[in-house]
């Protein structure tokens, strides 16, 4: 079994210079369609992490190593890099700091309908469940187990660098855009170069 490597980080200045070059890299934004719709780097393709994982063998046929992976902070992009490396496309770059850093730097960004990012949604749901478990246990004996379950899930998410709650929330109607189609996303990449 191989141990996961740290993805190659690319700073905002490095990415901007490469985007202004004669042969710019392709940008894969692995956030949810709703997050992508809210704000994204001009020219980037939206291939959400769960779609990327499901279609990684097909995606690698349409990608080369000149790809930069983007998400909100760099965590999901790192997971996408590992998934594509396992499918035979190692060494892709990840935008250091993700869209959060990109926007803070004042770099060009396309804005659309603003929505809550996935991390904020996870914090709301997890915090609400813990609160319900803690306060509700005064009225319903044993309800504090809900708080313990959520706390255990958050600890596991941190240790494994995965987030089951985030995956579940990404499938909710408010996180989907009517126009997103995984087959269309793969086809756009195939036609992209």
């Amino acid at each position: 079994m191989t141990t996961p490597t740290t993805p190659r980080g690319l700073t905002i200045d490095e990415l901007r210079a490469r985007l202004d070059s004669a042969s710019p890299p392709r940008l894969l934004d692995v956030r949810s369609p709703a997050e992508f719709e809210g704000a994204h780097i001009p020219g980037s393709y939206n291939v959400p992490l769960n779609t990327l994982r499901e279609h990684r063998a097909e995606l690698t046929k349409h990608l080369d190593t000149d790809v930069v992976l983007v998400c909100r902070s760099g965590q999901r992009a790192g997971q996408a890099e590992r998934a594509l490396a396992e499918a035979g496309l190692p060494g892709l770059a990840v935008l250091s700091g993700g869209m959060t850093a990109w926007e803070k730097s004042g770099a060009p960004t396309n804005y659309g309908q603003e929505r809550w990012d996935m991390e904020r949604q996870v914090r709301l749901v997890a915090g609400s469940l813990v609160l319900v478990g803690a306060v509700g246990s005064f009225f319903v004996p044993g309800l504090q187990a809900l708080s313990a379950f959520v706390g255990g899930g958050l600890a596991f998410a941190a240790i494994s660098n995965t987030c089951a709650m985030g995956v579940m929330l990404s499938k909710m109607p408010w996180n989907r855009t009517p126009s997103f189609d995984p087959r269309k996303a793969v086809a756009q990449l195939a036609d992209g170069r």
Side-chain angles (χ1 to χ4, degrees), residues 19 27 46 62 89 102 114 117 123 137-138 142 144 147 175 184 186 188 192:
L19 289 173
L27 302 175
N46 182 222
H62 306 294
L89 194 60
W102 181 266
E114 186 176 340
D117 63 51
R123 289 191 313 250
S137 67
F138 291 113
Q144 68 271 20
S147 298
N175 283 321
K184 185 177 177 183
V186 172
Q188 284 178 331

Side-chain angles (χ1 to χ4, degrees), residues 16-127:
R16 289 184 79 172
R18 290 193 58 206
L19 289 173
D20 291 337
S21 72
S23 58
R26 271 208 254 186
L27 302 175
L28 287 189
D29 191 318
V30 300
R31 296 174 301 148
S32 72
E35 290 173 290
F36 181 82
E37 184 180 281
H40 61 271
I41 299 171
S44 58
Y45 296 90
N46 182 222
V47 182
L49 182 58
N50 58 344
T51 301
L52 182 138
R53 285 180 176 144
E54 291 171 19
H55 298 275
R56 64 184 165 190
E58 186 177 355
L59 287 169
T60 58
K61 295 175 188 174
H62 306 294
L63 297 173
D64 55 30
T65 56
D66 199 15
V67 171
V68 178
L69 300 163
V70 179
C71 68
R72 185 186 148 291
S73 66
Q75 293 298 314
R76 285 178 278 177
Q79 292 174 32
E81 188 278 333
R82 287 186 289 282
L84 290 170
E86 290 170 4
L89 194 60
L92 300 182
V94 170
L95 177 61
S96 298
M99 279 302 296
T100 300
W102 181 266
E103 288 180 277
K104 279 185 184 175
S105 77
T109 305
N110 287 346
Y111 291 98
Q113 181 180 354
E114 186 176 340
R115 299 178 190 218
W116 282 18
D117 63 51
M118 195 57 57
E119 183 178 315
R120 185 175 182 190
Q121 291 179 50
V122 168
R123 289 191 313 250
L124 173 69
V125 172

